[in-house]
Amino acid sequence: MSSRRADAVVDEPGLLDYVRILWRHKVLILLTVVIAVAAMVGIDHTRTKVYQGTAQVLFTMQGQPAATAATVPVTTDLQLVDSAPVQALVAKQLGLPKAPKVAVTEVGTTNVANVAVSSTDPAFAAKAANAYARAYITVGTNQYLSQELATERQIQDRLGSVQTQVTSLNAKLSGLPLTGTASTSLQARLSNLYSQESYLQQQLGQIQIVTAEYSSAGQLVTSATVPTAPVSPKKAEDAILAGLVGLLLGIGLALLRDHFDDRLRSAEDLENASGGLPTIGLIPAVRDWRDHFDPLLVSALRPHSPAAEAYRTLRTSVQFMSLERPVKLLQITSAAAAEGKTTTAANVAYTMADAGQRVALVDCDLRRPRVHEFYGLANTVGLTSVMAGTTTLDEALHQAPNEANLFILGSGPIPPNPAELLAGERVGQIFNELLARFDIVILDSSPVLPVTDPLALAARADAVLIVASAGVTTTRSIERTIELLGRVDARVIGTVFNRAPQSREYYGAGYGYGYGYFSEHANGNGKDPAVAAAANGNGKVAPSSLGARLATTMRRSRRDEQG
């Protein structure tokens, strides 16, 4: 049964995890920002330009000197600028049936207001703003004068009545003696009327002075000039705003995409997906190995590279895990194709043989066999040939070039029924013969999810290694692979994380690869000398030259170790 850690815990993502997610999706975020800005620029290019004319008006307190202007009720005056009488006068001045819309705003906490009118015609915008400012002053002044005129008429009427009474009393006093009760009473009334007459004349004079000097509703501080730049669209501001919106949208899309994207990105992801199985191998990507269909036995051709060291570490891990329960028949598989299982099997087999073990590498992928390509061997005979009885096991086994401890058993001709053959008794007999001759037998099997072939092998194997590839393998595929292997009671001892990101977290700040080993690109051109020497005209390595490459590389490696 698959061995898992029961205490596997999925940690909540932290700030650094979110930063990594955003960095991983940086192209999506950048593309979203570019699209948002480009869309806004395109929209602004098609929008009609709108200009705004602005005049400034100083509100004044009518009937009072300018020193008391701070008491002006600005809020009320702001409303009066857009009142019906003002609009009617503006429409008349502009010769329009209806006045344009106006926006009136207070300038800070002062008594000054901006009177703004927007239009597609800059000259009209300035003309309309000035018309509103002047119309407000005119209407406000006229309304105040009308009120003061009515008050003045009332005072004049009262003054006329008082004067009439004064004339009547004077006529009565002229016919009476200067002394006497009647004369004294009339003189008192006459004195009171004189006082009223004087007060009313004083009021009338004040009103006349005020209406002459302090009747204006406001002053035109600044006339509107013809604007040269539109207020809408504001291309620079709109582009910046679109960029910010695009950034937020891009971040949201990145987080959403990452939420639904269950591809494995780290060893922690792999351990969580596998239910706590230990990740016993972290294999970094080989930087200049672009075409993975062109086999590269990096452990032999680049023994000082980080990848080669990682395979040696994986070999050691497998050996330590064999101390309590020996592993002689090791199956290496993956969830799906193109995840690096054959590359892992070929390199692990080579490192084990290089360490002194007698190793048999068997290509049990009877659908897409590739083991022979890593060693430059033919695949005319192999496992299927032995099962069919057309050749013996000795004839089908091929010694790896210049590695006495490693023997390769290719798949042989591809059969029509791989699953039935691998589940038969004959393949078990062949495995037993190999186990009797070798210290360890490594099986490179088909992926688990597409076919049932590897399940038949897993039931026979002492241990199973699952290879997953960073950015390729998904969480669901690993979970399904573990489930299927569990059904046949396979002993899954761990996982291998292929093409893992090279970081301090995984590789100890370069200590393991930089201390005591040469650089992968030590010769300056990014290629191993043996690879460069054996490359053919199209940049690929001919299979027939693999033996020479292995011999050259191994001699150099052993010479370095002895030196």
Side-chain angles (χ1 to χ4, degrees):
M1 184 66 68
S2 302
S3 59
R4 306 187 186 186
R5 293 200 306 267
D7 58 343
V9 177
V10 180
D11 295 330
E12 290 294 330
L15 178 61
L16 186 58
D17 296 316
Y18 284 114
V19 172
R20 288 171 178 167
I21 291 173
L22 297 181
W23 179 253
R24 187 161 61 242
H25 297 287
K26 57 184 179 293
V27 175
L28 172 63
I29 297 174
L30 179 61
L31 184 61
T32 305
V33 172
V34 171
I35 292 176
V37 173
M40 181 54 69
V41 171
I43 293 174
D44 283 350
H45 185 72
T46 59
R47 290 170 61 190
T48 303
K49 293 181 179 180
V50 177
Y51 298 85
Q52 187 178 79
T54 304
Q56 286 189 332
V57 176
L58 172 65
F59 297 134
T60 58
M61 178 65 75
Q62 292 169 293
Q64 295 184 13
T68 61
T71 62
V72 175
V74 177
T75 304
T76 302
D77 286 322
L78 292 176
Q79 300 298 323
L80 291 176
V81 176
D82 196 20
S83 62
V86 175
Q87 289 185 357
L89 183 57
V90 169
K92 182 179 179 180
Q93 291 177 358
L94 297 178
L96 298 174
K98 184 179 180 181
K101 292 183 178 181
V102 64
V104 187
T105 56
E106 184 180 2
V107 179
T109 58
T110 67
N111 297 331
V112 179
N114 287 327
V115 180
V117 176
S118 299
S119 173
T120 56
D121 183 356
F124 176 81
K127 183 178 179 181
N130 289 327
Y132 262 105
R134 294 191 178 96
Y136 163 74
I137 296 174
T138 300
V139 171
T141 301
N142 291 339
Q143 288 178 346
Y144 177 76
L145 289 175
S146 296
Q147 294 173 358
E148 292 301 305
L149 181 60
T151 303
E152 183 179 352
R153 287 174 180 172
Q154 291 177 357
I155 294 175
Q156 287 178 344
D157 291 342
R158 290 177 59 190
L159 182 60
S161 175
V162 170
Q163 289 176 345
T164 300
Q165 294 180 39
V166 169
T167 302
S168 176
L169 289 177
N170 283 328
K172 290 180 178 181
L173 282 173
S174 63
L176 295 175
L178 296 176
T179 61
T181 304
S183 177
T184 303
S185 177
L186 290 175
Q187 288 178 353
R189 288 178 59 190
L190 185 61
S191 177
N192 184 34
L193 289 174
Y194 281 141
S195 297
Q196 291 183 27
E197 182 182 17
S198 176
Y199 175 72
L200 291 174
Q201 287 178 343
Q202 183 181 2
Q203 279 190 321
L204 187 60
Q206 289 178 349
I207 290 175
Q208 291 173 348
I209 293 173
V210 167
T211 54
E213 297 184 7
Y214 308 115
S215 61
S216 178
Q219 298 178 16
L220 183 60
V221 178
T222 305
S223 298
T225 58
V226 178
T228 57
V231 294
S232 176
K234 297 181 179 179
K235 295 183 178 180
E237 291 84 346
D238 290 347
I240 294 174
L241 180 60
L244 294 176
V245 173
L247 178 62
L248 295 177
L249 181 60
I251 292 174
L253 290 175
L255 296 176
L256 184 64
R257 181 178 179 183
D258 190 80
H259 176 73
F260 290 102
D261 182 9
D262 65 344
R263 288 180 294 177
L264 304 178
R265 303 290 182 180
S266 65
E268 289 77 9
D269 293 342
L270 178 56
E271 291 190 6
N272 292 331
S274 63
L277 282 173
T279 302
I280 63 175
L282 291 167
I283 313 300
V286 180
R287 295 178 182 175
D288 57 344
W289 186 24
R290 303 300 180 188
D291 185 5
H292 289 193
F293 291 99
D294 184 20
L296 175 64
L297 191 62
V298 67
S299 297
L301 299 176
R302 304 181 187 181
H304 309 303
S305 66
E309 178 64 18
Y311 284 120
R312 285 191 285 268
T313 302
L314 175 58
R315 171 200 67 194
T316 304
S317 299
V318 173
Q319 290 173 340
F320 272 106
M321 298 182 77
S322 302
L323 294 178
E324 296 183 359
R325 184 175 173 181
V327 176
K328 296 201 65 180
L329 188 61
L330 175 64
Q331 178 186 357
I332 299 179
T333 187
S334 61
E339 294 180 342
K341 64 173 184 60
T342 302
T343 303
T344 301
N347 281 277
V348 169
Y350 180 85
T351 57
M352 286 184 173
D354 193 51
Q357 290 183 285
R358 284 181 53 81
V359 182
L361 175 58
V362 183
D363 194 345
C364 295
D365 189 344
L366 303 184
R367 299 175 188 270
R368 297 180 62 183
R370 293 194 63 213
V371 168
H372 62 282
E373 297 177 2
F374 282 82
Y375 292 92
L377 301 173
N379 196 36
T380 53
V381 295
L383 179 61
T384 57
S385 305
V386 179
M387 286 191 288
T390 59
T391 186
T392 63
L393 181 59
D394 291 330
E395 294 173 340
L397 280 171
H398 298 281
Q399 183 180 354
N402 295 283
E403 182 51 67
N405 292 325
L406 177 60
F407 286 81
I408 312 299
L409 179 60
S411 66
I414 298 177
N417 55 343
E420 289 78 0
L421 287 178
L422 293 176
E425 292 297 328
R426 179 55 182 151
V427 73
Q429 296 173 0
I430 297 174
F431 289 164
N432 289 334
E433 292 183 43
L434 292 172
L435 290 172
R437 301 186 187 185
F438 296 93
D439 298 325
I440 187 170
V441 177
I442 299 176
L443 309 178
D444 173 39
S445 70
S446 304
V448 173
L449 297 184
V451 293
T452 60
D453 307 4
L455 299 180
L457 295 173
R460 303 177 186 272
D462 296 328
V464 178
L465 273 180
I466 300 175
V467 178
S469 182
V472 177
T473 308
T474 64
T475 298
R476 283 172 292 181
S477 64
I478 287 294
E479 292 173 348
R480 180 60 176 165
T481 298
I482 298 295
E483 178 186 353
L484 293 175
L485 291 172
R487 291 181 181 179
V488 296
D489 291 331
R491 182 196 174 201
V492 182
I493 61 173
T495 59
V496 177
F497 195 44
N498 193 33
R499 301 169 196 162
Q502 297 191 51
S503 67
R504 294 175 182 267
E505 176 184 0
Y506 291 151
Y507 301 113
Y511 176 85
Y513 299 141
Y515 188 83
Y517 294 98
F518 294 106
S519 169
E520 183 178 359
H521 305 286
N523 62 337
N525 60 3
K527 297 284 186 179
D528 186 277
V531 177
N536 56 23
N538 61 5
K540 294 186 178 182
V541 180
S544 60
S545 65
L546 188 57
R549 284 186 290 161
L550 292 175
T552 302
T553 304
M554 291 177 61
R555 283 196 298 269
R556 184 176 65 249
S557 176
R558 288 165 181 163
R559 185 169 58 251
D560 293 340
E561 293 175 357
Q562 293 174 359

